Amino acid sequence: METEKKLIVDGVRVDGRKWDELRDIKMKVGVLKNPVGSASIEWGKNKVIAGVYGPREVIPKFEEDSTKAILKCEYNMAPFSVEDRKRPGPDRRSVEISKVITEALSSVVLLEEFPNTQINVYIEILRADAGTRIAGITAASLALADAGVPMKDLVAGCTSGKVNGEIVLDLCKEEDNYGDCDLPVAIIPKNKEIVLLQMDGILTKEEFNKAFDLVVDGAMNVYEMQKKALYEKYKNKDV
Ligand code: CDP
């Protein structure tokens, strides 16, 4: 079903972008003093910060795994991150997002190297404007790298979708709310393995293929930005 609200006029989207254009993205690594690793991302109007602790002792102890570390990712939206104050604390949505991010990052972190430990990743959404799970996982993988946690590669993500019947990259909130479909995807860039793929809405097979190619290209651009952000922190240090 296509929406009535006109979100694309003469090829120009509500925020002035073209169909295949990303929002402005700024990333910074090592932004917090207390966690072992941290990163922040401003992705359009989204503001996200991630912090990593560990590998450290497992609490509660019965969760310990003698073959590998356990990875726990927690996605949390601040009460002031959305227009109507969000009730503080976990809800169904944040539990789901924490779960899919944990599963995605478990594919890259070399958990077997740290048996009987846990690694905690905290993702805080300070301002939300659609695409926060992807901004969150992108920040989290940078924070893990900053913490020196061994990984196969970073995880990079992006969103595409369908708005007014057209396939577009990186939906903003208005497009997410009133569009026809959104497709958040996260990949391991070196082999383009998919570690997260969700779809809210309906696409034909042709539309899906176009949206999928677009989102993978978007994620590869995000990957280049991630590598630059890491390089910025470490370029002047003896590592
Ligand atoms: O943020 P993401 O696109 O990953 O997830 P979503 O569930 O599709 O949410 C889309 C957007 O809706 C969020 O980024 C927020 O801007 C907004 N939202 C909100 O205003 N209040 C909530 N309780 C949840 C989401």
Side-chain angles (χ1 to χ4, degrees):
M1 198 179 70
E2 283 168 22
T3 42
E4 300 290 315
K5 199 171 158 93
K6 220 48 200 133
L7 294 168
I8 305 179
V9 178
D10 298 331
V12 181
R13 294 160 65 180
V14 272
D15 55 7
R17 283 181 294 150
K18 292 185 292 200
W19 69 281
D20 60 350
E21 207 176 319
L22 285 168
R23 291 177 279 185
D24 285 338
I25 302 177
K26 288 188 210 127
M27 305 179 186
K28 202 163 177 209
V29 174
V31 292
L32 298 172
K33 182 174 168 288
N34 295 326
V36 209
S38 59
S40 65
I41 293 202
E42 289 187 23
W43 186 318
K45 292 180 195 156
N46 291 307
K47 277 186 202 285
V48 179
I49 197 154
V52 170
Y53 287 92
R56 60 180 176 177
E57 190 186 351
V58 180
I59 299 169
K61 200 157 173 63
F62 70 83
E63 287 183 356
E64 237 178 50
D65 186 333
S66 60
T67 63
K68 59 178 174 26
I70 35 177
L71 183 68
K72 293 181 181 172
C73 302
E74 285 178 39
Y75 164 104
N76 181 55
M77 270 185 144
F80 48 75
S81 64
V82 289
E83 269 164 38
D84 301 318
R85 172 185 173 272
K86 190 207 155 277
R87 199 162 167 255
D91 53 22
R92 268 181 62 162
R93 178 177 171 277
S94 67
V95 170
E96 173 217 312
I97 296 177
S98 300
K99 182 174 186 292
V100 294
I101 291 180
T102 300
E103 285 171 6
L105 291 174
S106 297
S107 311
V108 288
V109 176
L110 302 180
L111 297 170
E112 287 75 16
E113 291 195 11
F114 304 97
N116 298 313
T117 68
Q118 69 177 13
I119 300 167
N120 299 89
V121 180
Y122 298 101
I123 299 165
E124 299 292 326
I125 310 299
L126 306 179
R127 185 174 176 191
D129 193 73
T132 59
R133 75 195 60 207
I134 291 300
I137 198 169
T138 304
S141 92
L142 278 178
L144 281 163
D146 183 41
V149 172
M151 293 188 282
K152 282 189 228 164
D153 194 2
L154 294 167
V155 165
C158 201
T159 300
S160 64
K162 184 175 159 188
V163 173
N164 287 162
E166 289 184 38
I167 300 301
V168 295
L169 184 66
D170 189 18
L171 279 63
C172 65
K173 183 162 181 286
E174 217 175 333
E175 293 175 323
D176 183 294
N177 283 8
Y178 303 107
D180 312 314
C181 181
D182 72 302
L183 179 71
V185 168
I187 59 170
I188 302 175
K190 76 172 171 193
N191 58 3
K192 297 196 179 163
E193 184 184 326
I194 308 300
V195 289
L196 182 153
L197 189 153
Q198 299 185 287
M199 190 163 102
D200 187 7
I202 296 172
L203 296 176
T204 64
K205 197 173 164 196
E206 289 70 33
E207 286 169 343
F208 177 84
N209 287 340
K210 185 172 178 188
F212 182 74
D213 289 346
L214 188 62
V215 78
V216 170
D217 282 352
M220 291 307 286
N221 282 328
V222 169
Y223 181 51
E224 292 306 315
M225 295 178 213
Q226 286 176 301
K227 286 191 289 186
K228 270 196 200 127
L230 280 167
Y231 178 70
E232 276 306 309
K233 177 172 174 191
Y234 290 102
K235 69 179 176 189
N236 296 324
K237 296 203 172 130
D238 297 327
V239 280

